[in-house]
Amino acid sequence: MSHFSQIKTQIRNLDSLKDALSELGIDWKPGPREVRGYRGQTHPAEISIEQENGYDIGFRWNGQEYELVADLQYWQQNLSVDGFLRQVTQRYAYQTVMKETSRVGFQVTEQKQQEDGSIRLVVQRWSA
């Protein structure tokens, strides 16, 4: 019986996910790779994050989104699973917004970290 848990996310763009993890200082490896779990069990993933205890965290495409896969019994991060996913999701959203606004000709004119942890962005586009 597998010990792996799959946690749904709203993450759909692999490049933005990679950029978000890098921005957070998380050492990740590109896949496809096998994420290591309990008793040598493995699970395929497009991104793996090795932990010091020998058990990995991964992100795997399920056909709709990149879900987090890990043996949660051996979670070894500074944040809880929910806290980790909140942080990754926020940076993912930021990366996605920055890429998309740039792609359609907008520029960030103001960026401010709010007291509640959210980020306020103001973008504009000049037209001729």
Side-chain angles (χ1 to χ4, degrees), residues 94-108 121-125:
Y94 174 84
Q95 289 294 331
T96 302
V97 167
M98 296 302 283
K99 283 176 175 48
E100 188 60 22
T101 55
S102 176
R103 186 183 72 78
V104 295
F106 284 85
Q107 293 181 323
V108 174
L121 290 173
V122 177
V123 297
Q124 69 182 22
R125 177 171 58 183

Side-chain angles (χ1 to χ4, degrees), residues 25-43:
I26 297 170
D27 184 24
W28 57 272
K29 307 270 188 286
R33 297 177 71 89
E34 294 292 322
V35 174
R36 301 169 297 168
Y38 178 71
R39 288 193 165 181
Q41 294 175 358
T42 61
H43 204 289

Side-chain angles (χ1 to χ4, degrees), residues 17-119:
L17 172 58
K18 290 175 179 179
D19 290 344
L21 292 171
S22 294
E23 187 178 335
L24 290 168
I26 297 170
D27 184 24
W28 57 272
K29 307 270 188 286
R33 297 177 71 89
E34 294 292 322
V35 174
R36 301 169 297 168
Y38 178 71
R39 288 193 165 181
Q41 294 175 358
T42 61
H43 204 289
E46 280 70 37
I47 288 179
S48 70
I49 301 164
E50 295 178 353
Q51 300 185 110
E52 289 181 12
N53 62 6
Y55 300 92
D56 305 326
I57 301 167
F59 285 91
R60 162 185 104 86
W61 182 252
N62 67 11
Q64 296 180 324
E65 65 202 3
Y66 288 93
E67 60 189 7
L68 183 136
V69 291
D71 187 334
L72 299 182
Q73 184 175 346
Y74 299 101
W75 185 262
Q76 190 183 40
Q77 297 296 306
N78 294 335
L79 298 169
S80 68
V81 176
D82 288 341
F84 177 83
L85 275 176
R86 267 195 306 275
Q87 196 175 61
V88 169
T89 301
Q90 182 193 42
R91 297 320 301 172
Y92 167 81
Y94 174 84
Q95 289 294 331
T96 302
V97 167
M98 296 302 283
K99 283 176 175 48
E100 188 60 22
T101 55
S102 176
R103 186 183 72 78
V104 295
F106 284 85
Q107 293 181 323
V108 174
T109 59
E110 183 182 331
Q111 177 177 324
K112 184 174 183 191
Q113 184 86 26
Q114 305 293 93
E115 286 184 30
D116 66 358
S118 64
I119 301 168

